[in-house]
Amino acid sequence: QVQVVESGGGLVQAGGSLRLSCTASGMIFSINVMGWYRQAPGKQRELVATITRGGGTTYDDSVKGRFTISRDNAKTVYLQMNSLKPEDTSVYYCNAVTARYNYWGQGTQVTVSS
């Protein structure tokens, strides 16, 4: 069984920081891209950041300069979230993409209070 598991969410005050972690495990190989998405109540899931196996990154305009995506290896990715705003409140999901499948984590709640 393939699992993608996120951790690190929680409650933080505006201006604070959180670091999310995601690890893919099981029979999964050759991950091309890992990324973070978020979905707030009443809104569609949206892209936050991605990182390729070559290290290239992309960010949504709303988080540029505040969030940083990084990786330890092909199966572990982080999202460093600085200068958090109440609008960042959402469930954050980790995604791993291979040539055959997209794998999703269960999500981790991030709540930013004003």
Side-chain angles (χ1 to χ4, degrees), residues 6-12 17-22 36 79 81 84 90-92 106-112:
E6 308 99 331
S7 64
L11 175 65
V12 66
S17 298
L18 285 173
R19 183 177 174 88
L20 306 183
S21 300
C22 173
W36 290 95
L79 186 68
M81 309 165 68
L84 282 162
S90 189
V91 177
Y92 283 72
Q106 80 288 349
T108 185
Q109 177 70 48
V110 172
T111 302
V112 184

Side-chain angles (χ1 to χ4, degrees), residues 60-76:
D60 184 80
D61 287 342
S62 67
V63 305
K64 285 181 179 177
R66 299 189 298 120
F67 292 7
T68 302
I69 189 169
S70 62
R71 58 179 171 83
D72 282 347
N73 51 58
K75 298 182 179 181
T76 302

Side-chain angles (χ1 to χ4, degrees), residues 2-7 21-25 28 34-37 39 45 77 91-97 102-109:
V2 173
Q3 289 191 94
V4 177
V5 180
E6 308 99 331
S7 64
S21 300
C22 173
T23 299
S25 62
I28 182 170
M34 294 188 74
W36 290 95
Y37 293 72
Q39 186 169 24
R45 188 170 299 185
V77 67
V91 177
Y92 283 72
Y93 297 90
C94 182
N95 173 233
V97 181
N102 277 206
Y103 300 98
W104 290 92
Q106 80 288 349
T108 185
Q109 177 70 48

